[in-house]
Amino acid sequence: MVNKSGNNVRKLLSLIGAMIAVLALALPAQASEYNPPEENLRYTPTIEINPDANHHDHSNLDAPPPLSALELAAISCSGGFAGEYPCQGIDFMSRVPLSSFTGNPLSASNLWGYVDLDDNREYAIIGLRNGTGVVDVTDPVNPVIVGHITGVSSQWREVKVYQFWNASASRWDAYAYVTTEGAGGGIQIIDLTQLPTSVSLATTWTGVSTSHTDQISNIDFTTNVANNPSFPPILYISGANTGGLRFVSLANPTSLTEIGFWTGTYSHDTYPHVFMDARANQCAPGHNPCEVVFSFAGTPGLKIIDVTNKSAPVTLSTLTYSQLGYVHSGWISSDGNYIFLHDELDEQNFGLNSTIRTINITSLTAPTVSNIYTGPTTAIDHNGYTIGNKFYFSNYTRGIGVLDVTDPNAPVQLSFFDTYPTTNGATFNGAWGVYPYLPSGNILISDIQRGLIVVREQSAAPTPTPTITNTPTNTPTLSNTPTPTNTPTPTNTATITPTPTNTPSAGNTGWLSPSTDAPQTSSAGDNNGYQTTPSNAHVDGSGVAQDVNSGTNNSSSCTSNGKDKHRFYDYNISLPGGATVTGIEVRLDAFVDSVGSNAPKICVQLSWDGGITWTTAKQTTTLTTSEATYVLGSTVDTWGRTWTLTNLSNTNFRVRVIDVASSSGASSRDFSLDWITVRVSFQ
C-alpha cells in the first residue's frame, strides 16, 4: 500500500514537472526577426531599427514538437502530404529536433550549408537560441550532429561560410562566421577544419558587440570559395551596434579587420554583386567593374551602394514602393537584371498574401518594381535564393516555396513543403531559413519550432562533385597582423572545375507556346471557343483571346456538351531520346468579365492521339476579373497516363480548354486567355 502510494506521488510529480516544462517552452515570446538589439548601443541616427514595437509580439510561440512516428524515416510527397507535412513536389528526408541539440534550445534561426572540398561531405550550420549547431547531412536520411558552439542567448543568428585552399597543409580550410543580436556576442568564427569529427570556436571578433546579418561577397554559394580574381571576399555586416553597414576584410580569416563602412541608414541585410556591363558606368568614376551592395534597409526601402572603394562608398539610388512594410532581404536573378525582394511586414500591415516583388535593376540609379508575385496564403515570405531559373524562399508558416522565375516578371509556383502544418497565417513561426545550394541537391530548412529539416525536390539531381585541376599556390596568412587594403586585389582563389552551381537537372522543356488552335465544332456549346483573336493566347502580353458568351447552359461540369471547348496544339515539344516523362504542366494567364455567383473556371484536358481521347479534366480555382496565372498539373503529375515521345508530337498532342460556370447568367460569361503554355518534365 505504501509502495503504491509512493508510486502515485511520483507519477503526480512527474506530470506536474512535464506541465511546467511545456509552459516554460511556450512562454518565451518569439520576436519578429528584426527586433532591435538591447543595451545602450549606438545606432545610425537616421532611422529606428524597429519602427513598430508591437508587431513582434509572439507570445503564442509553439513549444518545439517531438518527432512524430511519421518522421522516423524519409517519406515521399504523395497526395499532397509527406507524413504530416503538406507538400507539392518535395520529399521529406529527415528532421533534427531542437531537443537533440546541446542544451535543448528553445528556438532556431537562420542557417547555411557547407560542402567540405577535402572529402565532399555536406553539412548544415544552424543558428540556435543558445549557440550554433553543426550537422553532417551527407546521408540526408540519417543526419548526425557533429558539434555545438555555445553563444550568448539570442533568438537571432545568421551564418555564412568562407572556404579557401591552405597551401602549407595541402588541404581546404573553412570557417563559419556567426552574427547575433545577443548583447556582447560579437562575431563568432567557427573552425570547420576538424570535420568530420568535431568543430571548435576559433575566436570571437569584437569589432561589433551585436549584429543582425552577414553576407560574404565574391564567393560561389555552393562551395563558399572565392570566385572573382579581381575582387576579394568581403564580410558585409548589417544591423551592428556600430551603425549602418560594415565592411570587413577576410584576408586573414581568423583575425578580422574592418576596412570601411556606410552609415546612410540602418541596413538589415545585403546582397553584393560585381557589375562588369554598361551599368558599371553608373558607378563612381573609374569604378569599372563596379562592386555594388543592395542594402535592404527596412522602412527607408532598398539602397543601392557603390562599394568599390571601401573607404568612400557612394549611394547610387533608393527604391520605395506602395504598401511598403519593411524591406527585409533579396537575391539577384540569374541574368543579373532583377532583384527578388522580400518585405517582412506587408502581409501583416496590409492584409496581403505572400508578396515577392521583382525589382528591375537594369538601371542602378533608377530601379523600379516590375512585377508583384502573390502567393496562395497569407504566410510571410522571408529569405530567398536563386539557382538558375528557380527561386527558393522560406515562407514562415507555409514552410518553403520554389518558384519558376524563367521570366522574372512572371514567377510561377513549382513546389512547396510546409514545415508548420497548423496554420498558414501571417505570423513569425515556422521556416526561418532555407539553403538550396548543396551539390547533392538536398535542401536544408531551419524551422523556428522544429529545428533542422532536410528535404529534396522530386525533380532534383546532384550537381557534379567539385574537383580541383590546378592546386592554388597561395593561402591566407593566419597571423595576427593582417594587412588589409581598400583597393580590390586578386584573391587566393582555387580553380575548381566544373564550377558547382547546384542547378537541379534541366529535366524540363521550359514553357512552350502553341502555334495552332481551333474551336471544337461538335458537342461544344455554341461552338464559339476563343473566337476573338485566338492567336493572342499563343504569346504573352499581346492582348487576349476571348470566348464571348461561353456555352449554352449553366452547368459547371468540365464534361458538359453545352460548354464551349477550344484546342491549342503544335507546341513543338522535344525531349531527349530515351527520356521518361515525369510530369506535364499547363499554364493559363486568364481572367473573366464578371464573377458574381457564377464561380467561373477553366477546365483543361490533354490528348495524346490528335484529339480522339482525352485525360480527366483539371480545373482552375474560381477566376477573377484581374488577370492571374493558373498552373494545372505539376512536375510529377502525368495526368493519369504513361506518355511516350510519340504522344507528345505535334500530330498527337492537344490541349483542350473548357470554360465552365454555374447559376443564372453563366452562359453569357466572357472568358479571356492571355497565354496558354505547356511544360514537360522528364528524366
Side-chain angles (χ1 to χ4, degrees):
M1 187 72 175
V2 173
N3 288 339
K4 183 175 182 181
S5 299
N7 288 335
N8 289 337
V9 170
R10 282 192 293 273
K11 290 179 180 178
L12 179 61
L13 290 175
S14 297
L15 178 60
I16 293 173
M19 293 175 64
I20 293 173
V22 170
L23 289 172
L25 289 174
L27 286 175
Q30 170 65 34
S32 156
E33 195 253 323
Y34 60 84
N35 189 46
E38 300 176 353
E39 306 297 336
N40 296 319
L41 305 177
R42 179 166 65 88
Y43 304 128
T44 304
T46 53
I47 179 175
E48 295 179 13
I49 291 180
N50 176 13
D52 180 359
N54 297 319
H55 75 271
H56 59 268
D57 180 11
H58 291 191
S59 57
N60 63 340
L61 173 67
D62 285 350
L67 280 170
S68 70
L70 296 175
E71 290 182 283
L72 299 180
I75 185 168
S76 296
C77 176
S78 178
F81 283 88
E84 66 180 293
Y85 299 114
C87 60
Q88 176 183 312
I90 298 179
D91 296 334
F92 172 83
M93 306 302 287
S94 61
R95 177 163 80 96
V96 181
L98 295 172
S99 57
S100 294
F101 290 99
T102 299
N104 191 21
L106 295 180
S107 63
S109 48
N110 211 353
L111 86 169
W112 199 248
Y114 163 60
V115 55
D116 187 337
L117 295 180
D118 290 314
D119 57 15
N120 295 315
R121 300 191 70 81
E122 295 181 347
Y123 300 89
I125 306 172
I126 183 171
L128 304 166
R129 182 75 70 98
N130 63 352
T132 306
V134 179
V135 183
D136 187 332
V137 293
T138 308
D139 179 353
V141 178
N142 298 290
V144 177
I145 297 176
V146 178
H148 178 273
I149 303 299
T150 300
V152 297
S153 179
S154 175
Q155 298 167 4
W156 300 274
R157 276 188 171 80
E158 298 276 335
V159 184
K160 295 296 181 293
V161 172
Y162 176 41
Q163 183 165 209
F164 57 90
W165 179 252
N166 184 335
S168 62
S170 295
R171 55 159 292 150
W172 292 92
D173 286 349
Y175 295 91
Y177 300 86
V178 182
T179 63
T180 179
E181 292 200 5
I187 305 290
Q188 287 188 318
I189 304 175
I190 300 176
D191 187 345
L192 304 176
T193 63
Q194 302 149 26
L195 290 170
T197 57
S198 65
V199 294
S200 63
L201 180 64
T203 187
T204 299
W205 186 63
T206 57
V208 297
S209 173
T210 64
S211 54
H212 186 70
T213 57
D214 58 354
Q215 185 66 262
I216 300 177
S217 64
N218 304 309
I219 62 169
D220 179 281
F221 296 116
T222 291
T223 62
N224 298 295
V225 172
N227 64 354
N228 191 331
S230 298
F231 288 84
I234 298 295
L235 182 68
Y236 290 99
I237 299 175
S238 297
N241 62 293
T242 50
L245 177 64
R246 321 307 294 191
F247 316 148
V248 177
S249 171
L250 291 175
N252 185 325
T254 59
S255 184
L256 307 184
T257 301
E258 184 173 305
I259 58 175
F261 57 86
W262 179 89
T263 53
T265 64
Y266 169 77
S267 176
H268 188 71
D269 204 346
T270 61
Y271 182 85
H273 191 77
V274 173
F275 288 94
M276 300 182 182
D277 56 19
R279 283 173 287 185
N281 296 325
Q282 302 170 22
C283 295
H287 292 181
N288 191 349
C290 178
E291 186 170 14
V292 168
V293 163
F294 296 88
S295 176
F296 307 95
T299 53
L302 170 66
K303 301 289 182 178
I304 301 180
I305 310 163
D306 173 2
V307 295
T308 311
N309 184 344
K310 301 300 182 291
S311 61
V314 178
T315 304
L316 301 178
S317 61
T318 298
L319 172 74
T320 58
Y321 47 82
S322 62
Q323 294 186 310
L324 190 156
Y326 195 93
V327 175
H328 174 272
S329 60
W331 211 258
I332 203 165
S333 62
S334 294
D335 63 9
N337 291 326
Y338 301 91
I339 290 284
F340 300 111
L341 184 144
H342 299 287
D343 186 314
E344 198 180 23
L345 280 185
D346 54 359
E347 289 85 8
Q348 282 191 345
N349 289 0
F350 304 106
L352 305 179
N353 278 16
S354 303
T355 300
I356 300 174
R357 291 169 176 83
T358 301
I359 311 302
N360 186 321
I361 55 169
T362 52
S363 170
L364 298 177
T365 57
T368 59
V369 177
S370 58
N371 184 73
I372 299 176
Y373 167 80
T374 301
T377 74
T378 60
I380 299 167
D381 55 291
H382 196 216
N383 293 312
Y385 308 95
T386 307
I387 302 178
N389 66 344
K390 292 185 179 181
F391 185 70
Y392 300 77
F393 67 101
S394 55
N395 203 186
Y396 274 125
T397 56
R398 197 176 184 246
I400 65 166
V402 184
L403 303 179
D404 181 333
V405 291
T406 301
D407 180 351
N409 289 310
V412 177
Q413 177 179 282
L414 291 175
S415 54
F416 73 91
F417 191 91
D418 190 347
T419 64
Y420 195 83
T422 55
T423 179
N424 288 325
T427 63
F428 296 98
N429 295 300
W432 181 307
V434 58
Y435 181 84
Y437 292 109
L438 288 176
S440 64
N442 296 318
I443 299 171
L444 307 175
I445 305 171
S446 59
D447 184 282
I448 296 171
Q449 287 80 13
R450 286 164 171 76
L452 174 66
I453 296 175
V454 185
V455 298
R456 183 177 178 83
E457 287 179 281
Q458 292 177 338
S459 61
T463 298
T465 302
T467 57
I468 305 166
T469 57
N470 295 307
T471 303
T473 57
N474 296 323
T475 184
T477 303
L478 299 179
S479 68
N480 294 322
T481 57
T483 55
T485 174
N486 291 336
T487 303
T489 56
T491 61
N492 307 313
T493 306
T495 301
I496 301 174
T497 183
T499 301
T501 61
N502 193 39
T503 303
S505 173
N508 67 70
T509 59
W511 292 107
L512 302 175
S513 300
S515 57
T516 309
D517 66 88
Q520 183 166 320
T521 56
S522 62
S523 301
D526 54 22
N527 299 323
N528 282 331
Y530 284 88
Q531 73 273 28
T532 305
T533 322
S535 61
N536 279 342
H538 298 183
V539 293
D540 186 24
S542 62
V544 296
Q546 191 173 33
D547 183 4
V548 180
N549 298 327
S550 182
T552 59
N553 65 33
N554 295 331
S555 172
S556 61
S557 170
C558 295
T559 59
S560 170
N561 288 336
K563 293 298 184 182
D564 279 357
K565 300 176 177 65
H566 202 95
R567 303 175 183 184
F568 294 90
Y569 50 103
D570 289 352
Y571 281 91
N572 297 313
I573 298 169
S574 178
L575 273 62
T580 300
V581 175
T582 59
I584 300 177
E585 300 160 276
V586 178
R587 168 180 172 171
L588 308 97
D589 292 1
F591 62 96
V592 72
D593 64 331
S594 176
V595 177
S597 59
N598 307 143
K601 302 176 182 179
I602 292 178
C603 304
V604 170
Q605 294 174 294
L606 305 182
S607 176
W608 58 93
D609 55 10
I612 299 172
T613 315
W614 298 91
T615 62
T616 300
K618 299 180 184 293
Q619 62 180 6
T620 66
T621 56
T622 300
L623 303 182
T624 67
T625 56
S626 297
E627 183 178 321
T629 296
Y630 305 87
V631 177
L632 302 179
S634 74
T635 58
V636 292
D637 183 350
T638 59
W639 297 63
R641 64 169 284 102
T642 300
W643 295 82
T644 67
L645 301 190
T646 302
N647 293 160
L648 299 172
S649 69
N650 283 347
T651 302
N652 290 318
F653 185 75
R654 300 284 188 272
V655 177
R656 183 162 71 177
V657 179
I658 307 105
D659 301 327
V660 300
S662 60
S663 75
S664 176
S667 60
S668 63
R669 290 281 64 78
D670 295 343
F671 288 77
S672 296
L673 271 178
D674 182 32
W675 203 19
I676 178 166
T677 60
V678 167
R679 180 169 62 182
V680 180
S681 296
F682 59 87
Q683 56 178 259

